[in-house]
Amino acid sequence: MRDQLDAYITEHAERWTEELRELCAIASEATDPSALQQAADWCEQRLRAAGCETRQIALDGVPSLVVGETGAGARTLIGVQHYDVQPAVPLELWTTPPYDPAVRDGAVYARGVDDNKGHLLLRIQAVEAYRAVFGELPIRMRFLIEGEEESGSASLGRLLATDDALTDGDGALKEGGSVDSSGRPQLLLGGKGILYAELRVRTLARDAHSGGATHLPNAAWRLVDALSTLMDVRGRVRIQGFYDDVRDPSAEERAHVAALPFDADEVKRIYGLRGFAFGRGNTDVRLASQFEPTCNICGIVSGFIDDGTKTVIPAEASCKIDFRLVPDQDPERIAALVRAHLDRHGFGDIESVYKEGTRPYRGRRDDPLVRAVKAAAEEAFGKDAHLVPTSGGTSPMWTVCHRRALANVTLGMGHPGSAAHAPDENIILANYWKAIRATARLYSLYATQA
Ligand SMILES: [Zn+2]
């Protein structure tokens, strides 16, 4: 049944789509400080237009934190978002340019449209809709929109430490959110942490003729040998102490996850897989994605890779690796363990450079916020919603939530083909309108939810 909220959303769909295109046209990649500032200003302006009090918190050389607040009530909800985006390269893989947002077949294509600009904007548009239809929000809603999330939120802790009141609240809306291939909302209750590192090695003062491969050490082999000691073929990380701080899921948590629907065939279809990595079966994939840390090689560079042939012994090799971490692993401790592992295995010559680290966070299921989000999502999307303990990705929820042990949950509109972080990133507008409706409903439900 259509109500006033639906009517308001329909009436403003065109303007709101234009706003989304406008925000996504700003190329706010980490390497462009002026574009980041432009995106921050755009968000602050939009928050103000929706009726929020706003400010920006700036520290030297760091993208500013945009804060917007509105409403009044016994509960405070903190919305955690970011206005920076992943690099759009490789550009040639995009059907239309990443910063020239295009609408095709009811979907909007642009870098950042799913992660995280569409999601941050719909929460603001939901404030506008709520205030226009019902008046002031019956909760205190506080938006925190940072500009460094895609490179690890390195300064968020410092930005939040400027004012303890920023993390005072009762619950947090984590960035993003999605529906599965059957349109069922997936509500994530946390995110994995990350350690991102670079490994580098130099074995020769200069590249050499490969005739010398009998006695001149090859940097590519050196790096590959070191990498092969990090993990076994079953996906078990072999670094001593790596699993020490992993919090084992309870039998009830495992049963909850094992019972969640999982469309293995759809995942295999999207990625063109015959089977999952490490020989994992469907249930094991589900459990591992929730409770297991990872060791992943993001890229390796060494030697000659151009067309034609060149017989050479590379003097240098490097790679970037990430470890997705689970509670209660600490990226700084894991970095020290990686170093100790390399040294213990005779790879003292391999330099390890710590690039970024974020702690994992997994919030509770038994909380009024989780119940309110579930009810709002199920009403708007018309399908059962699923509570998923953690995202495979990382967001800075520990930084925002740990001081008060806040519950956190996603409420959004991404879909399995959203291609976040990849070419042709997109969102489906029909889902977008439902997510605005769900979010506006949440603002009222959360006020009284038991
Ligand atoms: Zn994001």
Side-chain angles (χ1 to χ4, degrees), residues 82 84 114-116 149-150 175-176 394-395 421:
H82 61 91
D84 59 319
D114 174 71
D115 184 8
N116 172 241
E149 199 269 352
E150 297 294 7
E175 72 154 296
T394 297
S395 57
H421 293 205

Side-chain angles (χ1 to χ4, degrees), residues 30 60 112 145 153 156 165 170 190 209 220-221 232 234 258 268 363 379-380:
D60 269 0
I145 312 179
S153 302
L156 185 61
D170 300 280
H209 188 292
W221 270 121
D232 70 19
R234 308 299 296 174
K268 288 177 181 167
E379 183 201 86

Side-chain angles (χ1 to χ4, degrees), residues 411-431:
L411 177 57
M413 50 70 198
H415 65 103
S418 277
H421 293 205
D424 281 351
E425 179 175 354
N426 68 91
I427 59 116
I428 295 168
L429 282 167
N431 289 343

Side-chain angles (χ1 to χ4, degrees), residues 333-345:
R333 172 155 194 269
I334 299 297
L337 293 178
V338 171
R339 182 66 264 163
H341 171 93
L342 292 171
D343 292 342
R344 193 178 314 113
H345 286 74

Side-chain angles (χ1 to χ4, degrees), residues 125-156:
Q125 289 165 339
V127 167
E128 177 196 314
Y130 189 96
R131 294 180 81 249
V133 175
F134 306 111
E136 282 305 321
L137 267 59
I139 58 169
R140 184 72 169 162
M141 178 67 200
R142 181 183 309 124
F143 290 90
L144 301 177
I145 312 179
E146 65 153 322
E148 239 183 349
E149 199 269 352
E150 297 294 7
S151 40
S153 302
S155 315
L156 185 61

